Amino acid sequence: MTKTTIISLICVLCVFSAKANNLKTIEQIHIAYKNKTTNAQHVTQAYINRIEKLNPQYNAVINIDPSAIEQAKALDLLYANSKWAGPLHGIPVLLKDNIETKGKLPTTAGSLALKNNITNKDAFVVKKLREAGAIILGKANLSEWANFRSSYSSSGWSAVGGQTHNAHDITRNPCGSSAGSAVAVALNFAPIALGTETDGSITCPASVNGVYAIKPSMGQVSRNGVIPLSSSQDTVGPMAHTLKDALLVLAVLQGEDKKDVSTHEFVLNSKELTAKSTLKIGVLPSDKFTIQTQQLYKKQLNALRQAGHTVTEIVVTDNLDTLFADEYYILLYDFKAEINDYLSNTPKEVKTKSLEALINFNSQNKETEMPYFGQDILTKSQAIDLTNKDKYQRVKTRYRALAKSAITNLYKNNDIDIVIAPTVSPAWKTDLINGDNFKGSSSSLPAIAGSTHIKLPVGKVSNLPVGLSIIANINQEQAAYTYADIIDKTLSLNTKKPE
């Protein structure tokens, strides 16, 4: 090979790499593939290079999958033979590190107790991604044990990955527990990332890092192969740079799985909607959020009114006095039962086989596992009496019915198309000693009811992102997607500007 040929080849590779670094959406990447201005190998390598350069500042990614480039090469070979793998052909995806994958990477939940948890099997959602042509790029950092370890935790901290930092200000918190997933998308470490949510763990990090996200309805997406917190509320959902991409990925992920009973009865309501140019929007109060967030919310509401939408102030009229104590009991109960089951079935290299053993492991490894905060939630979960199944079923029936009723009544009593609210206030300063200090959240009702919650990035206050929540009616996922798109387009034209 001549010197001129080598230089030419280097120039081509530089152009391919530069092109890849400018790509953010699925459509942009696919157009580039079809125009032959780049390929899956170069796109994947460009993301890996970006992670290696920037991740030390942010701790958003724990591991890069060593097979990522080989996955990309296989897809390039497929395309060279005029074949297309599917709707996510050649799209790199990062996974929260509580989602299992085939290969050599452990699935740790952020805990050193699971540093050898190499299950070498794909979670149901990972199988769906691969079938659609996606590239598994690696694992994202998270709040350890999905932020269910300490009442004084700092969101985004894990013993395995350290403290994840907000993508817009490294002194600020990324929110939890899918912190690394949101930060990674915001920094364009990948066009798509998956997070998991029990209550706010997808929507909150997406909000404070300024990306799109969907917390799906219960049963829409399988949790098989995901380290559990609570089967009563756990779900898996996408984060992306656009609502269109998040919806496309969700369409890939959803489906019945024989190993997750929650998916057996779920039916996506495909009823065709009457075309609407204007909406009747119910807006929940914003008084629990910061003053700046309230001010931005008012501007968003004015923009919606000016676009011709009817904006009606609404409030939850149902008595929610028991809701949050009930939720905590259910989560404590579920976690003990389900983490015991999960740990007992981990590979032999994992020595921690129960919640009690995990608590002991953390106590014996205080310097690395508990340098900043403890494990009071784990000990409360361990104290739960799992034989009291009558109480568990009674509480679970009550709290779910109450959350569903509260959402249903918002729609029924106010004659509206869709409910919106601020998602959460801007990111707070990370405090490893005293823990999180967020003000206001809209996640609990849809999390407990098991209904869809969509998060749109809608502006900034003090250069920090603020999100808007779309809270779907029960069994009305398709309507929520359609109306979220209308609201997103309206606000994109009017209010997505720094304050």
Side-chain angles (χ1 to χ4, degrees):
M1 186 179 291
T2 66
K3 183 177 180 181
T4 302
T5 303
I6 294 172
I7 292 172
S8 298
L9 181 59
I10 291 171
C11 289
V12 168
L13 292 174
C14 289
V15 170
F16 268 42
S17 180
K19 178 72 176 178
N21 275 320
N22 291 326
L23 302 174
K24 287 189 174 182
T25 71
I26 294 169
E27 183 178 25
Q28 288 172 345
I29 293 171
H30 282 171
I31 288 173
Y33 289 165
K34 290 172 182 178
N35 289 342
K36 293 183 169 49
T37 55
T38 190
N39 59 28
Q41 181 182 346
H42 286 100
V43 165
T44 302
Q45 187 63 60
Y47 281 122
I48 291 172
N49 292 347
R50 185 169 175 82
I51 291 168
E52 290 176 343
K53 179 180 179 182
L54 297 177
N55 192 60
Q57 301 174 54
Y58 295 94
N59 291 336
V61 177
I62 287 178
N63 279 311
I64 293 171
D65 192 314
S67 73
I69 295 298
E70 292 307 312
Q71 294 174 56
K73 287 180 178 178
L75 288 161
D76 286 336
L77 180 60
L78 193 71
Y79 186 51
N81 289 308
S82 302
K83 295 179 182 178
W84 193 251
L88 297 181
H89 179 102
I91 302 298
V93 178
L94 284 167
L95 309 172
K96 184 176 179 180
D97 196 23
N98 59 354
I99 302 174
E100 295 179 344
T101 54
K102 282 185 177 179
K104 299 179 180 179
L105 292 186
T107 303
T108 70
S111 172
L112 293 171
L114 294 185
K115 66 180 180 180
N116 296 318
N117 187 35
I118 302 173
T119 64
N120 195 28
K121 61 183 180 181
D122 282 340
F124 183 83
V125 291
V126 179
K127 291 178 184 176
K128 300 284 274 186
L129 289 171
R130 292 194 201 275
E131 288 169 3
I135 295 164
I136 305 306
L137 185 60
K139 299 290 192 79
N141 200 9
L142 69 163
S143 304
E144 189 171 316
W145 296 111
N147 227 1
F148 204 66
R149 199 192 88 182
S150 168
S151 302
Y152 304 97
S153 66
S154 172
S155 287
W157 186 90
S158 75
V160 173
Q163 176 65 54
T164 305
H165 302 297
N166 190 283
H168 297 260
D169 180 344
I170 61 172
T171 70
R172 301 275 173 171
N173 198 267
C175 200
S177 65
S178 305
S181 299
V183 172
V185 173
L187 293 172
N188 200 27
F189 288 173
I192 302 294
L194 296 193
T196 66
E197 173 161 329
T198 308
D199 187 340
S201 288
I202 289 174
T203 54
C204 184
S207 181
V208 303
N209 287 285
V211 300
Y212 290 83
I214 303 173
K215 194 284 291 183
S217 293
M218 178 61 65
Q220 190 170 0
V221 177
S222 171
R223 291 82 51 88
N224 175 29
V226 178
I227 296 176
L229 193 166
S230 165
S231 61
S232 299
Q233 293 179 206
D234 288 351
T235 190
V236 183
M239 299 182 185
H241 294 287
T242 66
L243 179 59
K244 179 181 178 182
D245 281 2
L247 288 169
L248 192 159
V249 175
L250 178 57
V252 166
L253 299 178
Q254 66 191 20
E256 185 174 350
D257 175 12
K258 64 182 181 180
K259 293 185 179 180
D260 185 341
V261 295
S262 75
T263 67
H264 297 179
E265 296 181 358
F266 177 81
V267 177
L268 185 65
N269 189 336
S270 57
K271 180 181 177 182
E272 194 167 321
L273 297 173
T274 303
K276 293 185 177 185
S277 57
T278 58
L279 304 177
K280 292 182 288 185
I281 302 172
V283 301
L284 288 170
S286 62
D287 53 306
K288 61 185 176 181
F289 300 90
T290 64
I291 296 298
Q292 289 176 309
T293 304
Q294 294 177 43
Q295 291 170 344
L296 181 59
Y297 188 47
K298 288 178 182 177
K299 290 186 177 183
Q300 293 159 359
L301 300 185
N302 286 335
L304 292 170
R305 290 189 185 97
Q306 291 169 9
H309 303 294
T310 300
V311 175
T312 304
E313 295 182 0
I314 60 173
V315 294
V316 175
T317 56
D318 298 63
N319 185 341
L320 304 180
D321 287 350
T322 63
L323 187 66
F324 300 108
D326 284 353
E327 180 189 29
Y328 194 38
Y329 174 78
I330 294 298
L331 299 189
L332 290 171
Y333 188 106
D334 282 350
F335 186 78
K336 181 178 182 180
E338 293 165 19
I339 209 64
N340 276 337
D341 180 64
Y342 182 85
L343 290 173
S344 68
N345 289 291
T346 51
K348 64 181 181 180
E349 291 78 11
V350 176
K351 305 304 179 184
T352 306
K353 296 297 184 181
S354 68
L355 176 56
E356 182 178 16
L358 172 62
I359 292 168
N360 291 335
F361 175 89
N362 290 340
S363 297
Q364 293 162 8
N365 295 275
K366 279 186 178 181
E367 290 186 1
T368 51
E369 273 293 345
M370 299 193 293
Y372 306 113
F373 49 85
Q375 55 179 340
D376 62 294
I377 294 177
L378 297 187
T379 56
K380 288 176 184 175
S381 180
Q382 176 62 18
I384 289 287
D385 180 4
L386 295 181
T387 66
N388 200 343
K389 294 181 181 179
D390 288 344
K391 177 183 177 181
Y392 173 77
Q393 290 300 335
R394 185 172 66 252
V395 172
K396 187 171 179 176
T397 299
R398 178 176 64 200
Y399 99 129
R400 176 140 298 149
L402 183 54
K404 285 187 173 182
S405 175
I407 291 175
T408 300
N409 287 336
L410 283 174
Y411 281 87
K412 182 175 68 175
N413 297 340
N414 296 286
D415 186 29
I416 52 178
D417 296 315
I418 198 69
V419 171
I420 67 171
T423 305
V424 70
S425 296
W428 55 94
K429 290 279 188 178
T430 293
D431 185 343
L432 289 167
I433 305 301
N434 299 303
D436 293 337
N437 185 33
F438 65 88
K439 296 182 179 179
S441 172
S442 295
S443 66
S444 291
L445 276 183
I448 296 169
S451 61
T452 290
H453 183 178
I454 301 168
K455 205 295 300 179
L456 309 177
V458 289
K460 290 183 177 182
V461 294
S462 301
N463 293 316
L464 295 170
V466 174
L468 188 76
S469 286
I470 310 293
I471 300 173
N473 201 355
I474 308 301
N475 300 324
Q476 294 296 319
E477 295 84 8
Q478 195 63 53
Y481 306 154
T482 300
Y483 300 150
D485 185 55
I486 293 171
I487 291 170
D488 183 50
K489 287 175 180 174
T490 301
L491 296 180
S492 293
L493 294 171
N494 291 280
T495 65
K496 290 188 180 180
K497 298 174 182 177
E499 290 297 296

